[in-house]
Amino acid sequence: MVQLEEVEDEEFDRVQVGEKAFNDDDDFTDTDSEISSDDLPLADPSETLTDRLLALRDMVPPSARRRFAAGYDALKSYTWSGLMLGGKTMWVVSTSALLLGVPFALALVEEQQVVEMEKEQRMREMGNEVSFDQSTCPVAVEEV
């Protein structure tokens, strides 16, 4: 029968230059077990969300922060200018519509009323002529 013997390589056990010795079990996670909230490190209760966000500032380089801030300021400026221009435009359009549109609409309605009155007057005159012609005509019209 063959007997197996494990031979360890000395290169794997030796610590390399510039590398800290670490325990291989530190990065091992057991995926079969449940993760308990008791195992997680607790946050400092006096630390606020603002403190955490301000701490993130150190992670972003200053040049990237300046570029982001400049882009944000430009976007804010364009948005504010657009909203102001839109508001002023809406003011001009609405006041113009009120000052010009309402009198025009009233004049248009008045003109339609005058046209209807003239049409009614003509119909009355035509009705009087027809009734006048029938009264002078001695012939009676028979109904079929």
Side-chain angles (χ1 to χ4, degrees):
M1 176 148 54
V2 178
Q3 187 175 17
L4 295 175
E5 181 179 331
E6 183 179 354
V7 178
E8 293 187 18
D9 192 2
E10 296 173 358
E11 289 295 319
F12 288 120
D13 292 338
R14 188 172 59 95
V15 176
Q16 295 181 0
V17 177
E19 182 180 328
K20 294 191 289 184
F22 63 92
N23 188 357
D24 286 340
D25 292 338
D26 288 343
D27 61 350
F28 176 74
T29 57
D30 186 10
T31 57
D32 293 334
S33 67
E34 294 182 18
I35 297 176
S36 171
S37 63
D38 298 336
D39 298 338
L40 298 175
L42 295 176
D44 184 15
S46 63
E47 185 178 38
T48 63
L49 180 62
T50 306
D51 294 335
R52 287 184 176 207
L53 291 176
L54 289 175
L56 291 175
R57 180 176 52 180
D58 297 333
M59 294 176 65
V60 180
S63 61
R65 282 188 295 192
R66 279 191 296 272
R67 195 170 55 242
F68 177 75
Y72 174 76
D73 289 339
L75 178 66
K76 185 173 76 170
S77 174
Y78 288 138
T79 303
W80 182 256
S81 298
L83 289 174
M84 291 300 291
L85 180 65
K88 289 178 182 179
T89 302
M90 290 302 295
W91 171 256
V92 168
V93 168
S94 62
T95 55
S96 297
L98 287 173
L99 292 175
L100 299 174
V102 171
F104 177 75
L106 291 174
L108 187 64
V109 168
E110 185 179 342
E111 181 66 27
Q112 287 177 347
Q113 286 177 345
V114 169
V115 168
E116 288 294 322
M117 285 174 49
E118 289 175 352
K119 188 188 230 184
E120 184 180 328
Q121 184 66 27
R122 272 189 260 122
M123 299 264 302
R124 282 184 188 165
E125 289 175 359
M126 286 176 52
N128 287 339
E129 288 177 7
V130 170
S131 64
F132 182 71
D133 289 341
Q134 287 179 357
S135 64
T136 57
C137 180
V139 178
V141 178
E142 293 181 20
E143 292 185 15
V144 180

